[in-house]
Amino acid sequence: LSLSLYPFSLYPFSLFFASLFCWVDAGAVCTLECASGFIQASDSISTYICEVGQWENGNLRCQRVDCGALVVANADTSACTTTTSGATCSVSCNTGFTNTSPTSTTYTCSNAGVWQGSLTC
């Protein structure tokens, strides 16, 4: 039995249903994945093996995707201190520069780890 659960939730009750499979099928393998906007920590293991009625060997930890520092030419991004998925940031043109783009000045860190927005100064 191979079971993939997506998206993975960090709440213990989400593993309740997987534990039912383990009780029925010793030796079953369950591979968990991090939810969108999260990545697996490099030192964690996503595969669990059913041994003696319990899932063993896995220790999946998920961490938010990081977009890194926001860089926009001729703009002030100093207020953009949170850089993980879901973060939003308002950006303004530096003194002496004018916003020439018809779009919003808000940027959002996407689940893919890329800043989305387009300000032209």
Side-chain angles (χ1 to χ4, degrees), residues 28-110:
V29 175
C30 178
T31 301
L32 302 180
E33 298 175 356
C34 297
S36 180
F38 293 82
I39 58 172
Q40 181 176 335
S42 61
D43 61 343
S44 71
I45 300 169
S46 63
T47 301
Y48 292 74
I49 300 169
C50 178
E51 296 177 0
V52 194
Q54 293 186 8
W55 292 106
E56 302 286 342
N57 302 323
N59 68 344
L60 179 62
R61 288 188 333 281
C62 301
Q63 56 195 32
R64 285 197 174 273
V65 170
D66 194 326
C67 287
L70 175 60
V71 177
V72 179
N74 304 313
D76 178 14
T77 59
S78 62
C80 305
T81 56
T82 303
T83 61
T84 54
S85 60
T88 59
C89 179
S90 292
V91 178
S92 59
C93 294
N94 290 332
T95 303
F97 292 88
T98 304
N99 179 354
T100 60
S101 56
T103 59
S104 169
T105 59
T106 300
Y107 280 76
T108 302
C109 177
S110 72

